[in-house]
């Protein structure tokens, strides 16, 4: 006789247990420092299946976590106490919704799926990121930025509505649609999804995108137009003969140019750039800059930026390649992290309101030039920010950093053995702490810094061993928006079903 199953998950094609050959690939995310061992993975292809998965997990007391692209830097979907992993990767639809007059994008769609879908159908785009493997569910809820953000703002600045499956006080799942309309009773939930971070309030299943100034029902006019052609410049400097002083000057010049050329409406905000300062062991420092070729003086803009960056450094540019390419042929620099899909990583981040201080520049140059440490994947990446991002009030969305000009990430990665964790992680922790030594080891909002980016989560910001500033982690990420996020949390996730190491906490 076969006994009736009373405690396990419903066994159907969407449930993957450890005995299934698909299991290992599903529980491994971007960062192989964290590989979960849930009892099962639920692959949800519809909102109804999300509801079913939540009701099953909550009613049986199993902790559940949700994942769209699996690109999280920390263990938010892979911590040991997670019993059910809800995977939205089957939800990849991109379509026009005539009722809401907006482009509907499902949360499991990756950026690599969304960009060509938007362009091929309507010639439009969103100012999203350059890692094509990232899923929309996590990308948008963290704010969403990329190489068109200086021109078009954050992705959430174009978010009209969001569908979220929440769990009420009785422990039952409920599907809600929240819009940015002022009279929407769930507008607070929409607001929380505009930068409040993933895994905080419920399961986002789909987004509706329409720019605030868009009118009519023509989908080709509801989102920013994609550039027809991109002018791209890739520059290389060799570490051979590079002094710490020269590197500090190069970085300072780069950030200084952005400080002077990031005002809302400035023609220079048509240009986006990424300065990737690799550790000396990598051999090179690189910069990629792109600009819409139709922008006024596009070539002159690229040339002016490069001349400002190398001024006074004494450095020889070892490679300088320019090209003009069609948008969809080679339309942006794609940084497909992880470089090594089996690698282990540690990332930290910060916003810059202005150029780092001389002391900070010297510290960055010292750590990246340190010959006692070697990892060619260790780096600081300084990404152009500002422009139209800063046209929005800090409280209009949950994305509070609205007057910065650079987004910085400090990282090391690519190793494979857990035995090497301590050496690499300790290096990047000390690096970051020493750059922000004057503010307790973290980028406390002030004249130069403006906190950190929740989509580059770093559990160290909540660790008093590495954050001695007295400023809590949630202020670094959310600033004055945190109390409002807590109220949304209390209303829509009163049982704290959706939680992780840096999740919004219910009010005390």
């Amino acid at each position: 006789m076969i006994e009736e199953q009373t405690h396990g998950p419903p066994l159907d094609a969407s449930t993957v247990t450890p005995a299934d050959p698909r299991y290992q690939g599903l529980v491994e995310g971007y960062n192989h420092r964290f590989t979960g061992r849930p009892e099962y993975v639920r692959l949800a292809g519809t909102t109804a299946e999300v509801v079913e998965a939540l009701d099953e997990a909550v009613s049986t007391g199993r902790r559940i976590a949700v994942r769209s692209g699996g690109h999280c830097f920390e263990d938010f979907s892979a911590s040991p106490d997670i019993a059910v992993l809800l995977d939205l990767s089957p939800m990849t639809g991109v379509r026009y919704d005539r009722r809401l007059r907006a482009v509907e994008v499902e949360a499991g769609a990756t950026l690599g799926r969304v960009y060509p879908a938007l362009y091929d159908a309507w010639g439009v785009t969103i100012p999203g990121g350059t890692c094509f493997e990232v899923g929309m569910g996590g990308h948008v809820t963290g704010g969403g930025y990329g190489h068109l953000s200086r021109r078009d703002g954050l992705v959430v600045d174009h978010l009209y509505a969001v569908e979220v499956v929440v769990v009420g006080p009785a422990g039952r799942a409920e599907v809600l649609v929240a819009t940015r309309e002022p009279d929407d009773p769930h507008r607070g939930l929409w607001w929380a999804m505009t930068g409040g971070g993933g895994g905080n309030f419920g399961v986002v299943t789909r987004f509706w995108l329409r720019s605030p100034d868009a009118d009519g029902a023509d989908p080709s006019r509801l989102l920013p137009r994609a550039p027809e052609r991109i002018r791209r410049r890739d520059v290389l400097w060799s570490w051979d003969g590079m002094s710490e002083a020269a590197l500090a000057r190069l970085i300072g010049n780069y950030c200084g140019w952005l400080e002077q050329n990031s005002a809302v409406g400035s023609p220079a905000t048509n240009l986006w750039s990424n300065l990737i300062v690799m550790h000396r062991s990598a051999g090179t420092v690189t910069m990629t800059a792109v600009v819409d070729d139709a922008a006024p003086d596009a070539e002159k803009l690229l040339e002016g930026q490069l001349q400002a960056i190398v001024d006074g450094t004494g450095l020889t540019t070892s490679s300088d390649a320019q090209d003009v390419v069609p948008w969809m042929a080679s339309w942006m620099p794609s940084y497909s992290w992880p470089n090594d899909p089996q690698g282990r990583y540690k990332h930290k981040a910060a916003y810059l309101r202005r150029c780092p201080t001389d002391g900070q520049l010297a510290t960055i140059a010292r750590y990246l030039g340190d010959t006692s440490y070697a990892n060619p994947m260790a780096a600081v990446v300084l990404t152009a920010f500002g422009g139209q991002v800063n046209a929005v009030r800090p409280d209009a969305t949950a994305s509070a950093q609205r007057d910065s000009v650079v987004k910085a990430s400090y990282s090391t990665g690519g190793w494979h053995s857990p035995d090497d964790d301590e050496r690499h992680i300790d290096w990047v922790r000390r690096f970051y702490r020493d750059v922000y030594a004057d503010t307790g080891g973290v980028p406390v909002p002030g004249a130069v810094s403006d906190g950190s980016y929740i989509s580059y989560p770093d559990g160290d910001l909540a660790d008093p061993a590495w954050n001695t500033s007295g400023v809590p982690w949630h202020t670094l990420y959310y600033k004055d928006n945190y109390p409002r996020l807590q109220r949304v949390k209390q209303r829509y996730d009163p049982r704290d079903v959706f939680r992780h190491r840096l999740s919004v906490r219910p009010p005390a």
Side-chain angles (χ1 to χ4, degrees):
M1 182 178 74
I2 299 176
E3 293 182 355
E4 180 181 1
Q5 181 177 345
T6 58
H7 300 293
L11 294 178
D12 54 41
S14 65
T15 299
V16 179
T17 66
D20 192 305
R22 296 173 294 171
Y23 178 85
Q24 190 62 28
L26 288 170
V27 299
E28 289 179 343
Y30 150 78
N31 191 344
H32 278 234
R33 285 176 53 217
F34 311 112
T35 298
R37 296 297 299 177
E39 296 176 29
Y40 60 93
V41 179
R42 286 297 299 270
L43 291 165
T46 66
T47 301
E49 290 177 355
V50 170
V51 171
E52 179 186 9
L54 281 176
D55 281 341
E56 167 68 23
V58 174
S59 66
T60 58
R62 290 177 168 90
R63 185 179 169 198
I64 189 168
V66 62
R67 186 176 76 181
S68 57
H71 210 264
C72 187
F73 289 172
E74 293 283 2
D75 66 346
F76 294 174
S77 63
S79 63
D81 59 339
I82 293 172
V84 181
L85 178 60
L86 178 57
D87 190 306
L88 304 184
S89 58
M91 300 187 69
T92 62
V94 179
R95 59 186 70 88
Y96 176 59
D97 186 323
R98 295 182 181 278
R99 182 177 62 89
L100 293 183
R101 293 187 300 109
V103 177
E104 176 190 327
V105 179
E106 292 184 329
T110 63
L111 292 175
R113 153 79 174 143
V114 172
Y115 292 131
L118 294 177
Y119 182 81
D120 291 348
W122 307 293
V124 299
T125 191
I126 55 173
T130 60
C131 298
F132 293 167
E133 298 85 358
V134 169
M136 285 288 283
H139 187 60
V140 178
T141 53
Y145 86 105
H147 84 298
L148 289 177
S149 288
R150 283 164 58 84
R151 189 192 79 170
D152 297 320
L154 301 178
V155 176
V156 295
D157 299 337
H158 305 270
L159 180 63
Y160 175 72
V162 59
E163 180 181 82
V164 190
V165 185
V166 299
V167 176
R172 300 294 297 176
E174 179 185 4
V175 181
L176 301 176
V177 174
T179 75
R180 67 179 177 225
E181 297 294 343
D183 59 350
D184 189 323
H186 300 298
R187 191 179 191 278
L189 183 61
W190 167 86
W191 177 88
M193 296 299 170
T194 62
N200 272 318
F201 310 100
V203 180
V204 180
T205 49
R206 69 193 73 240
F207 304 94
W208 286 270
L209 301 167
R210 180 184 357 128
S211 299
D213 58 350
D215 197 10
D218 181 354
S220 68
R221 297 179 179 273
L222 299 181
L223 288 170
R225 296 295 298 176
E228 293 183 11
R229 299 173 70 82
I230 285 289
R231 182 174 292 270
R232 174 172 172 166
R233 183 174 211 160
D234 293 288
V235 185
L236 203 70
W237 297 276
S238 173
W239 263 104
D240 290 340
M242 184 184 293
S243 66
E244 291 181 8
L247 180 61
R249 178 66 182 256
L250 184 78
I251 297 171
N253 286 348
Y254 174 80
C255 294
W257 187 90
L258 289 170
E259 185 180 341
Q260 297 299 318
N261 290 275
S262 298
V264 176
S266 166
T269 58
N270 287 299
L271 183 150
W272 174 92
S273 56
N274 225 19
L275 180 66
I276 305 178
V277 189
M278 305 300 296
H279 185 270
R280 179 181 291 275
S281 55
T284 58
V285 174
T286 65
M287 184 186 75
T288 295
V290 294
V291 62
D292 185 342
D293 194 48
D297 298 319
E299 185 174 7
K300 183 178 178 182
L301 193 57
L302 286 175
E303 186 62 29
Q305 184 199 41
L306 180 60
Q307 293 307 313
I309 291 170
V310 299
D311 180 56
T313 64
L315 296 174
T316 300
T317 301
S318 58
S319 177
D320 181 8
Q322 287 194 54
D323 201 5
V324 179
V325 294
W327 172 255
M328 290 306 295
S330 179
W331 60 285
M332 72 153 71
S334 172
Y335 301 105
S336 297
W337 295 92
N339 298 48
D340 180 346
Q342 302 296 318
R344 303 169 74 86
Y345 298 84
K346 177 62 179 176
H347 299 272
K348 308 172 84 65
Y351 287 96
L352 296 175
R353 282 175 159 153
R354 52 172 296 179
C355 184
T357 67
D358 290 343
Q360 289 177 318
L361 291 170
T363 300
I364 292 171
R366 175 166 55 86
Y367 268 88
L368 292 174
D370 180 11
T371 56
S372 67
Y373 174 77
N375 183 355
M377 290 184 64
V380 166
V381 180
L382 300 164
T383 303
F385 205 61
Q388 194 62 26
V389 174
N390 295 347
V392 177
R393 298 190 325 273
D395 62 350
T397 66
S399 301
Q401 286 83 4
R402 293 290 187 167
D403 63 355
S404 294
V405 298
V406 176
K407 185 172 286 190
S409 66
Y410 303 73
S411 64
T412 187
W415 72 94
H416 297 88
S417 172
D419 295 339
D420 294 325
D421 283 359
E422 183 176 357
R423 176 170 67 93
H424 292 293
I425 295 172
D426 179 67
W427 178 84
V428 76
R429 281 173 165 168
R430 289 185 291 105
F431 181 12
Y432 189 81
R433 178 199 63 193
D434 290 354
V435 170
Y436 300 104
D438 291 344
T439 53
V442 295
V444 174
V448 174
S449 300
D450 201 23
S452 191
Y453 179 43
I454 192 58
S455 283
Y456 294 169
D458 175 16
D460 293 344
L461 298 190
D463 185 346
W466 295 102
N467 178 2
T468 61
S469 68
V471 177
W473 65 268
H474 50 76
T475 298
L476 298 174
Y477 286 119
Y478 299 120
K479 300 173 64 175
D480 294 339
N481 286 340
Y482 188 65
R484 185 176 175 186
L485 288 170
Q486 287 185 291
R487 294 192 293 272
V488 175
K489 177 77 169 180
Q490 184 176 45
R491 178 178 177 185
Y492 292 100
D493 185 22
R495 298 167 63 101
D496 201 21
V497 170
F498 305 99
R499 62 189 186 275
H500 50 73
R501 284 195 290 155
L502 295 176
S503 59
V504 173
R505 310 288 195 257

